[in-house]
């Protein structure tokens, strides 16, 4: 127990120190900034006051929690990160407990925990202020309750998981499917009935007061199922299959996945009950997310499948026992996962920037660029920028700086660009054609650049 507490405490402390300098990033500009600021200004539980333009349809769990903390301690990035720390510790504790369930040897338990925790997407999410960490904590809390047949623990995990986000509700359904497969007729229904209550209450409230749950045509991301033809649906369906495949191979995960496939096919790993059980848990628990992801138009994030990454890495570790030089293979797995954080794709290739530690290099060069802009006395309102840096500066920094960047149309005097923004090829080409580079900052392949409109292009 002491070594468990020590390792998890050290890990949590390191993650907290690394993450304190990160701003509100990616979709959290909606889940944290947009919804959180509305609740901070109108009341912690004033969920109905969230405007449709910034309402993703999810329960405002993290926004409510953070707005409460801001009321008590003041609104800041530091306070927001501190609020997430207990969830990081709880998540790591539950991941350890999952490793403990499948592995008896104490030394191997530690090594399995370290391998699982080395996933780039998991590491990145733990450095951010995000709803993903509470979601993963509640999932593994419920999973461990299921595995150890602690029904009150399972019910508690399901209740919290179902109110943290719509994806949490899908994971609740996935755990129910897993329970049916593993336990068949001995399944206990009570934890699921109790666990479903918060989610059901939220859905009823949304339908009564908002009239919709998932698809919001007033939002920037459009309708989730807004297909106009069968051919468009089929094209998007095939594209989603390719995208999901890429998510599982990205950031060094190709190596452990190949190990799993090799062991299943050539070492007959599919015959071993313990491997089958872990595969059922991994794929079954996220089955509803897989189904929804294949049909939606909206982009599929790497973080949607973090549960799979964690459980598949645990499976890969367990399969090492099939090999004589298993610790050499273990070293290769660790190196491949950690090296995944160094990947930076070319500008015209979209990257999951919230899903690897490469995003840590963005925050310093972003601050350098804002300092330069202020030093040169350039008006923020004359500078166009892009998601996730748009809107007010406060959306990212939570510093009450309400200066607002311009939206890019191609006519603004200046453009603040970063390769983190995942622009379209047309937007990148337009910037390079009509603007000249004024200043740039870079760190490990991550860049911020300020462009000024060419004189002959000024309207």
């Amino acid at each position: 127990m002491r070594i468990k507490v020590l390792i998890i405490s050290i890990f949590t402390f390191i993650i907290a120190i690394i993450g304190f300098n990160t701003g509100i990033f990616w979709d959290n500009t909606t889940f944290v900034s947009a919804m959180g600021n509305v609740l901070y200004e109108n009341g912690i539980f004033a969920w109905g006051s969230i405007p449709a333009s910034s309402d993703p349809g999810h329960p405002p769990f993290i926004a409510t929690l953070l707005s409460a903390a801001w009321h008590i301690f003041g609104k800041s990035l530091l306070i927001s990160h501190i609020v997430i720390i207990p969830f990081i510790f709880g998540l790591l504790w539950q991941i350890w407990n999952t490793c403990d369930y499948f592995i008896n040897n104490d030394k191997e338990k530690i090594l399995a925990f370290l391998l699982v925790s080395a996933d780039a997407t998991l590491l990145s999410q733990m450095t951010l202020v995000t709803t993903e960490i509470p979601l993963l904590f509640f999932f593994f809390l419920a999973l461990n309750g299921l595995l150890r047949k602690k029904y009150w623990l399972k019910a508690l995990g399901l209740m919290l998981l179902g109110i943290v986000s719509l994806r949490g509700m899908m994971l609740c359904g996935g755990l129910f499917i897993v329970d049916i497969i593993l336990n068949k007729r001995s399944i206990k229904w009570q934890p699921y009935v109790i666990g479903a209550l918060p989610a059901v209450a939220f859905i009823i409230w949304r339908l009564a007061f908002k009239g919709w749950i998932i698809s919001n045509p007033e939002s920037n991301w459009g309708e989730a199922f807004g297909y106009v033809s069968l051919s468009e649906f089929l094209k998007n369906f095939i594209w989603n299959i390719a995208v999901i495949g890429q998510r599982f191979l990205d950031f060094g995960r190709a190596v452990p996945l190949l190990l799993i496939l090799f062991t299943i096919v050539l070492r007959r790993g599919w015959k071993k009950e313990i491997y089958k059980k872990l595969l059922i848990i991994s794929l079954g628990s996220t089955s509803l997310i897989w189904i929804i992801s294949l049909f939606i138009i909206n982009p599929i994030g790497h973080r949607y499948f973090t549960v799979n990454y964690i459980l598949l890495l645990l499976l890969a570790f367990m399969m090492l026992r099939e090999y004589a030089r298993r610790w050499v293979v273990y070293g290769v797995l660790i190196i491949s996962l950690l090296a995944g954080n160094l990947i930076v794709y070319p500008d015209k290739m979209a990257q999951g920037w919230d899903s690897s530690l490469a995003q840590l290099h963005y925050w310093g060069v972003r601050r350098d660029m804002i300092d330069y802009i202020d030093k040169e006395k350039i008006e923020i309102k004359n500078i166009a920028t892009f998601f996730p840096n748009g809107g007010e500066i406060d959306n990212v920094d939570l510093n009450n700086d309400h200066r607002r960047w311009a939206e890019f149309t191609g006519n603004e005097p200046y453009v603040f660009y970063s390769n983190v923004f995942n622009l379209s090829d047309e937007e990148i080409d337009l910037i390079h054609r009509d603007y000249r580079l004024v200043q740039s900052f870079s760190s490990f392949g991550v860049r911020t650049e300020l462009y000024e409109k060419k004189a002959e292009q000024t309207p």
Side-chain angles (χ1 to χ4, degrees):
M1 176 63 75
R2 288 183 179 179
I3 189 67
K4 174 181 178 181
V5 173
L6 179 62
I7 291 175
I8 294 175
S9 298
I10 292 174
F11 206 142
T12 302
F13 177 77
I14 293 173
I15 289 292
I17 293 299
I18 292 174
F20 273 151
N21 288 323
T22 64
I24 306 304
F25 197 49
W26 227 244
D27 289 354
N28 298 302
T29 54
T30 295
F31 286 97
V32 173
S33 302
M35 292 199 292
N37 280 326
V38 171
L39 299 183
Y40 179 62
E41 294 166 2
N42 297 290
I44 296 170
F45 294 103
W47 294 1
S49 65
I50 299 174
S53 59
S54 57
D55 186 352
H58 294 259
F61 174 85
I62 195 68
T64 302
L65 189 64
L66 289 171
S67 63
W70 296 342
H71 274 286
I72 299 171
F73 303 106
K75 190 179 80 170
S76 70
L77 271 178
L78 177 61
I79 294 301
S80 303
H81 278 289
I82 290 174
V83 168
I84 298 298
I85 289 176
F87 294 105
I88 297 174
F89 184 90
L91 168 59
L92 294 174
W93 189 275
Q94 293 304 321
I95 289 176
W96 184 293
N97 287 345
T98 304
C99 295
D100 177 70
Y101 177 83
F102 287 98
I103 299 169
N104 295 322
N105 182 281
D106 289 339
K107 177 184 175 182
E108 291 187 0
K109 204 176 300 178
I110 295 171
L111 293 173
F113 172 78
L114 294 176
L115 177 67
V116 167
S117 301
D119 179 75
T121 301
L122 175 62
L123 287 173
S124 180
Q125 289 295 316
M126 286 194 292
T127 65
L128 298 169
V129 180
T130 172
T131 193
E132 290 300 314
I133 299 308
L135 180 144
L136 291 170
F137 170 36
F138 300 149
F139 170 83
F140 281 98
L141 182 69
L143 174 61
N144 284 314
L146 186 158
L147 292 173
R148 300 174 187 276
K149 301 188 184 302
K150 293 183 177 180
Y151 301 118
W152 64 269
L153 189 67
K154 179 166 64 172
L156 176 62
L158 290 169
M159 289 177 67
L160 294 169
L161 183 59
I163 199 62
V164 75
S165 73
L166 295 176
R167 201 150 25 90
M169 298 179 195
M170 296 178 200
L171 287 170
C172 288
L175 284 172
F176 179 62
I177 293 171
V178 169
D179 210 347
I180 291 175
I181 296 173
L182 295 181
N183 298 311
K184 299 179 176 64
R185 294 182 180 179
S186 64
I187 185 174
K188 302 294 183 182
W189 295 82
Q190 296 90 332
Y192 294 100
V193 174
I194 297 171
L197 292 177
V200 171
F202 173 77
I203 290 172
I204 292 173
W205 174 84
R206 275 211 71 93
L207 291 175
F209 289 92
K210 295 281 189 174
W212 60 274
I213 299 176
I214 298 176
S215 188
N216 178 8
E218 292 186 44
S219 67
N220 293 330
W221 50 90
E223 295 188 64
F225 303 100
Y227 297 104
V228 296
S229 67
L230 177 61
S231 61
E232 182 188 3
F233 164 76
L234 292 174
K235 180 180 179 181
N236 193 75
F237 185 84
I238 295 171
W239 173 251
N240 283 344
I241 293 175
V243 169
I244 292 174
Q246 188 270 345
R247 300 310 188 228
F248 276 80
L249 297 173
D250 209 3
F251 301 128
R253 284 187 284 268
V255 177
L257 191 61
L258 285 173
L259 172 67
I260 292 171
L261 294 175
F262 183 85
T263 306
I264 289 175
V265 175
L266 299 181
R267 296 294 182 103
R268 297 188 176 184
W270 53 273
K271 286 190 174 183
K272 298 196 174 181
E273 290 299 320
I274 193 67
Y275 298 164
K276 288 165 63 175
K277 184 173 185 177
L278 201 41
L279 274 172
I280 289 170
I281 296 171
S282 175
L283 301 179
S285 60
T286 56
S287 55
L288 297 181
I289 295 177
W290 282 76
I291 293 170
I292 296 296
S293 297
L294 288 173
F295 287 92
I296 62 174
I297 294 176
N298 298 350
I300 302 169
H302 289 72
R303 67 187 184 283
Y304 291 8
F305 306 103
T306 310
V307 164
N308 294 111
Y309 309 151
I310 293 171
L311 294 173
L312 289 175
L313 282 172
L314 177 56
L315 177 60
F317 179 86
M318 294 172 62
M319 286 179 168
L320 288 176
R321 64 187 65 171
E322 306 291 332
Y323 302 94
R325 299 182 179 275
R326 55 179 176 167
W327 300 125
V328 174
V329 180
Y330 177 86
V332 173
L333 294 179
I334 284 282
I335 291 172
S336 70
L337 292 172
L338 295 178
N341 293 288
L342 303 176
I343 294 174
V344 175
Y345 294 135
D347 286 18
K348 291 187 177 182
M349 183 180 295
Q351 178 163 342
W353 283 102
D354 65 335
S355 299
S356 84
L357 292 179
Q359 52 90 3
L360 293 177
H361 303 294
Y362 166 65
W363 302 104
V365 293
R366 176 182 176 274
R367 281 187 290 272
D368 289 341
M369 184 57 72
I370 293 177
D371 289 343
Y372 172 81
I373 290 168
D374 289 339
K375 180 181 177 181
E376 296 297 316
K377 294 182 171 52
I378 303 172
E379 293 276 358
I380 294 293
K381 65 181 180 181
N382 292 327
I383 305 174
T385 191
F386 308 85
F387 174 86
N389 192 50
E392 296 181 352
I393 293 177
D394 178 71
N395 289 350
V396 175
D397 294 332
L398 299 180
N399 60 355
N400 292 312
D401 187 340
H402 297 293
R403 291 180 295 170
R404 178 178 289 273
W405 305 97
E407 292 187 17
F408 180 73
T409 64
N411 295 317
E412 292 73 29
Y414 296 92
V415 171
F416 180 171
Y417 168 79
S418 172
N419 54 333
V420 168
F421 297 162
N422 282 350
L423 302 190
S424 67
D425 293 358
E426 292 76 16
E427 288 172 319
I428 293 174
D429 291 339
L430 191 154
I431 292 171
H432 290 160
R433 185 191 70 210
D434 293 351
Y435 290 81
R436 67 178 184 87
L437 182 65
V438 174
Q439 181 60 276
S440 66
F441 299 95
S442 65
S443 176
F444 290 89
V446 178
R447 311 187 319 275
T448 54
E449 298 171 342
L450 183 67
Y451 288 86
E452 183 180 22
K453 191 83 168 178
K454 293 177 180 177
E456 63 271 18
Q457 298 293 337
T458 302

